[in-house]
């Protein structure tokens, strides 16, 4: 994390992971995350001169995460049979050598504003999340495959939304503060792809 004169803040992280749950060719993956914010009311001191605006910040961030399937669902394995003559046979779960980690990419942009000696505040955020190669577990396909349950990268979806938090402080003195917060959001999403 870096900051410039407590006016501009920047942070970056990066993760490398390896998962034995995934097929060998897609076992290793990595994803970054970063954020950047500007204290506009200090970068441009003239903003506060009228006495209305006490604080103003603009921020943005980008983050990626990954998700794997559950263990033992993506590989055939021999199981002990106590009926049908006993012995060992494959279980219900099919191997999917093409399975890859589910990836979620999210970015957001927002602003915080405090007015009138911080008696009125706003926090507004827009976010956009892409969930790609979503993993679906335990779905049934043709028994002709020799298995009952399967694991597949099945879909991509996008989720967007706006969130607003409004704070009002009708009473503010050295002995007592009373703050009311109202929040709301509007969200919409779309299925971008499904398996053939």
């Amino acid at each position: 994390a870096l900051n410039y004169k407590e006016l501009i803040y920047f942070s970056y992280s990066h993760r490398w992971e390896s998962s034995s749950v995934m097929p060998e060719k897609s076992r290793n993956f990595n994803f970054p995350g970063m954020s950047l914010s500007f204290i506009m009311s200090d970068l441009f001191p003239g903003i506060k001169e009228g006495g209305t605006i006490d604080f103003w910040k603009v921020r943005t961030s980008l983050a990626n995460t990954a998700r794997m399937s559950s263990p033992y669902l993506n590989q055939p394995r021999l199981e002990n049979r106590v009926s049908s003559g006993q012995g060992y046979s494959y279980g219900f779960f099919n191997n999917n050598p093409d399975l890859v980690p589910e990836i979620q990419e999210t970015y957001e942009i927002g602003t915080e504003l405090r007015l009138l000696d911080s008696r009125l505040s706003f926090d507004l955020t827009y976010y956009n999340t892409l969930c790609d190669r979503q993993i679906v577990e335990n779905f049934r396909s043709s028994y002709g495959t020799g298995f009952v349950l399967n694991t597949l990268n099945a879909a991509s979806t996008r989720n967007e939304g706006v969130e607003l938090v409004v704070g009002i402080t009708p009473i503010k003195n050295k002995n007592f503060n009373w703050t009311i917060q109202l929040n709301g959001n509007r969200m919409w999403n779309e299925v971008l792809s499904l398996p053939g």
Side-chain angles (χ1 to χ4, degrees), residues 154-173:
S156 294
T157 60
R158 184 178 299 281
N159 186 39
E160 299 176 76
V162 177
E163 297 179 345
L164 175 64
V165 179
V166 179
I168 303 167
T169 306
I171 301 174
K172 183 178 182 179
N173 57 51

Side-chain angles (χ1 to χ4, degrees), residues 41-192:
S41 51
D42 291 338
L43 275 169
F44 305 102
I47 290 174
K48 296 188 200 179
E49 285 179 2
T52 303
I53 297 176
D54 303 305
F55 177 81
W56 179 28
K57 178 169 80 170
V58 175
R59 65 181 187 275
T60 185
S61 65
L62 171 67
N64 287 17
T65 57
R67 187 180 77 85
M68 280 61 65
S69 65
S70 300
Y72 308 116
L73 293 187
N74 185 46
Q75 49 194 322
R77 61 191 188 275
L78 292 174
E79 296 180 0
N80 185 18
R81 299 300 178 194
V82 295
S83 60
S84 303
Q86 300 188 351
Y88 292 88
S89 67
Y90 279 126
F92 294 113
F93 299 100
N94 192 7
N95 178 35
N96 180 353
D98 299 318
L99 190 72
V100 294
E102 180 180 312
I103 298 295
Q104 181 173 294
E105 301 173 352
T106 300
Y107 72 85
E108 71 172 45
I109 185 166
T111 186
E112 297 174 40
L113 192 61
R114 294 201 295 263
L115 310 169
L116 306 172
D117 193 27
S118 296
R119 288 179 177 269
L120 182 62
S121 64
F122 298 93
D123 190 330
L124 177 65
T125 303
Y126 163 78
Y127 62 88
N128 187 314
T129 300
L130 171 66
C131 196
D132 195 23
R133 309 180 313 207
Q134 288 180 314
I135 295 174
V136 175
E137 299 176 349
N138 299 331
F139 76 91
R140 292 176 181 262
S141 63
S142 168
Y143 287 6
T145 62
F147 298 94
V148 178
L149 302 174
N150 297 267
T151 302
L152 177 73
N153 292 105
S156 294
T157 60
R158 184 178 299 281
N159 186 39
E160 299 176 76
V162 177
E163 297 179 345
L164 175 64
V165 179
V166 179
I168 303 167
T169 306
I171 301 174
K172 183 178 182 179
N173 57 51
K174 63 181 182 179
N175 297 318
F176 181 75
N177 283 355
W178 176 32
T179 300
I180 302 166
Q181 278 198 332
L182 308 170
N183 59 45
N185 68 69
R186 173 75 170 89
M187 182 176 63
W188 57 98
N189 51 46
E190 180 182 8
V191 177
L192 303 177

